[in-house]
Amino acid sequence: MVYDIIIIGGGPGGLTAAIYGARSKLKTLVIEKGKIGGQAATTEEMENYPGFFNGTTGPALTKRMEEHAKFFGAEFVKDEVKEIINDGFIKKISTRNGEYQAKAVIIATGAEPRVLGVKGEGALRGKGVSYCATCDADFFEDLDVVVVGNGDAAIEEAIYLTKFANKVSIIVIHDEGILDATPVIQERAYLNPKIEFIWNSVLEEIVGDGIVEGVKIKNLKTGEITDLEVNGVFIFVGTVPKTDFLKGVVELDPRGYILTNDLMETSVEGIYAVGDVRQKFLRQVVTACADGAIAAVAAEKYIHEEEMFREQVLEEEKPVSVLFWTPSSDECIQLVSEVERNFNKEKSKLVKVDTYRNLRIKNRYNVDNVPALLLFHNGQQVKRLENPEEILQFAKKIDL
């Protein structure tokens, strides 16, 4: 079986792509190796998703997304993707349990926060341990929190937290006065009365019974371990995109994130990337959903464009004259009319391609100026004409 779209990853971006794909009557499959919902499913409370001013939970929101996708006919399978094999229009997806085929692939595997691995971190994740101040800061209004990390992201997030928290303690591994953040960000932090720095130290343990109640901090010079009562722990030591299986398949940036354009297209035709796995400015549920919608619509257009051209041109036994034109040009409109009236249908089939609606095909065959006529035979381009008079004369005679 060949699916129209296979989505790798069941987070908000992947689920939104599934909704849009299935609703467009495309045969859609979501492959997720773990729990549906991605990182969002680990967030106990969510107040910044549009329409939920009274709050919702990550699991509840992503469950509704899953149900929405299934309502329109999207299929789900629990499996782990090992490799994407790009054999042209039909892509092969090799998994732990078998192989799938699709005309378009949407990668939504996400990125996960780099964890410290300290005791209590996993057990209290989403219960006071957070990796996103933008997501969770308002839950700690007038409370004390600690921040782990000293780069730009960590210090900026700590400054953001001061809008809500009573006190923000930043645990820094370096000697006093040394931060990895840029000087301008450092200065803002030093001037903030709510921020306190704990130098030469690392987070040793997060403690609490069901929720965060405190931390143990180890001084690297003395070895002394200090207890600090806090209500939240924010960890900012980077994120790790889940793209190991994509190396050599699509173009990645130096950190491993997938490079895409505004249509979520990767460096490979028919492969898209959405959500946290791609290089982007803001990683939030709402932006992942936007990515998913864009990718699914772009994939639908890609499939339609490719299938049309393959069926009408590349797989046609008879020679095919492809006339590239645009309705925004009076010259093109007039020429199309004359070609249709004078075309020799016995020798060739005529296919008109609107370059505005079929930009990918236009670019593939380097059609920079219209009108242009390309003659195909047995799937190969054998003639190219760009002069209107020559196009009209050829249409009458079809000189092969």
Side-chain angles (χ1 to χ4, degrees):
M1 176 189 297
V2 177
Y3 286 89
D4 291 313
I5 297 177
I6 286 181
I7 300 160
I8 305 172
L15 292 172
T16 304
I19 292 168
Y20 274 72
R23 188 173 182 270
S24 297
K25 305 300 181 184
L26 297 177
K27 190 163 184 59
T28 302
L29 173 69
V30 178
I31 302 176
E32 169 58 62
K33 71 174 182 178
K35 184 179 179 181
I36 294 293
Q39 277 195 67
T42 68
T43 303
E44 290 298 315
E45 295 184 62
M46 187 180 296
E47 290 184 335
N48 61 352
Y49 191 81
F52 291 90
F53 53 88
N54 287 326
T56 184
T57 67
L61 181 63
T62 53
K63 181 64 177 175
R64 293 297 300 272
M65 291 180 182
E66 179 187 5
E67 292 170 350
H68 197 162
K70 287 180 176 178
F71 176 81
F72 286 122
E75 299 176 28
F76 287 76
V77 65
K78 189 170 185 177
D79 205 343
E80 181 179 1
V81 173
K82 294 297 186 181
E83 184 182 11
I84 298 176
I85 303 168
N86 180 27
D87 280 343
F89 183 50
I90 304 299
K91 276 76 175 170
K92 294 179 182 177
I93 314 295
S94 177
T95 70
R96 183 179 294 277
N97 297 320
E99 185 178 273
Y100 301 88
Q101 293 183 323
K103 300 168 187 175
V105 178
I106 298 176
I107 301 164
T109 46
E112 54 190 1
R114 194 182 300 277
V115 299
L116 293 175
V118 300
K119 186 177 180 181
E121 180 181 5
L124 296 172
R125 180 170 179 166
K127 300 172 183 177
V129 174
S130 174
Y131 304 85
C132 177
T134 308
C135 310
D136 301 328
D138 58 332
F139 299 126
F140 296 89
E141 192 160 358
D142 297 327
L143 300 177
D144 294 343
V145 301
V146 295
V147 167
V148 182
N150 69 102
D152 283 353
I155 303 304
E156 285 181 334
E157 296 285 69
I159 294 170
Y160 179 78
L161 281 165
T162 62
K163 296 180 180 181
F164 303 89
N166 175 60
K167 179 182 177 183
V168 178
S169 301
I170 304 177
I171 302 173
V172 183
I173 197 171
H174 304 307
D175 288 339
E176 184 172 350
I178 299 176
L179 295 174
D180 293 331
T182 54
V184 65
I185 296 175
Q186 292 185 37
E187 184 177 357
R188 287 170 54 203
Y190 289 140
L191 293 174
N192 194 309
K194 285 189 173 183
I195 290 180
E196 176 182 292
F197 291 92
I198 303 174
W199 304 100
N200 301 305
S201 299
V202 293
L203 181 65
E204 186 77 2
E205 183 181 346
I206 304 170
V207 297
D209 184 10
I211 60 172
V212 170
E213 297 172 349
V215 294
K216 293 183 181 294
I217 301 170
K218 181 179 180 179
N219 185 289
L220 294 176
K221 290 192 172 181
T222 66
E224 181 184 0
I225 294 179
T226 304
D227 292 326
L228 179 66
E229 289 188 10
V230 295
N231 306 103
V233 179
F234 286 81
I235 301 171
F236 304 110
V237 290
T239 57
V240 182
K242 300 176 184 178
T243 55
D244 285 346
F245 70 102
L246 294 170
K247 292 176 181 176
V249 179
V250 298
E251 187 177 357
L252 308 175
D253 75 3
R255 296 183 299 162
Y257 290 95
I258 302 173
L259 297 173
T260 69
N261 61 16
D262 290 345
L263 297 180
M264 307 301 136
E265 295 171 326
T266 68
S267 56
V268 177
E269 278 196 352
I271 299 181
Y272 303 79
V274 305
D276 291 0
V277 75
R278 76 181 190 93
Q279 187 187 79
K280 61 189 298 186
F281 173 69
L282 181 64
R283 292 183 170 89
Q284 291 277 282
V285 171
V286 69
T287 63
C289 291
D291 289 354
I294 292 169
V297 173
E300 178 192 10
K301 182 174 176 60
Y302 162 77
I303 292 169
H304 173 75
E305 189 175 335
E306 286 292 321
E307 288 186 329
M308 180 279 294
F309 198 78
R310 287 172 179 274
E311 179 183 341
Q312 296 188 17
V313 178
L314 301 182
E315 296 173 359
E316 178 66 51
E317 294 182 3
K318 191 176 183 178
V320 181
S321 299
V322 181
L323 181 59
F324 290 86
W325 73 294
T326 173
S328 63
S329 166
D330 290 338
E331 180 185 26
C332 281
I333 294 173
Q334 183 178 350
L335 181 66
V336 167
S337 177
E338 291 181 6
V339 167
E340 288 180 321
R341 188 168 58 251
N342 295 281
F343 192 78
N344 189 335
K345 297 180 181 179
E346 294 182 0
K347 290 188 175 182
S348 178
K349 173 184 175 181
L350 177 64
V351 173
K352 296 173 294 180
V353 174
D354 180 348
T355 55
Y356 178 77
R357 295 178 178 274
N358 298 274
L359 189 60
R360 182 178 288 101
I361 300 298
K362 167 187 175 293
N363 291 336
R364 180 180 302 165
Y365 291 101
N366 300 312
V367 179
D368 297 323
N369 300 299
V370 290
L373 186 143
L374 274 59
L375 179 66
F376 288 82
H377 194 199
N378 295 325
Q380 299 297 317
Q381 178 188 329
V382 296
K383 188 183 286 288
R384 184 188 192 98
L385 299 172
E386 296 181 346
N387 182 283
E389 291 184 8
E390 292 180 353
I391 292 173
L392 184 57
Q393 289 302 315
F394 177 80
K396 294 176 180 179
K397 297 179 180 179
I398 309 297
D399 182 11
L400 303 178

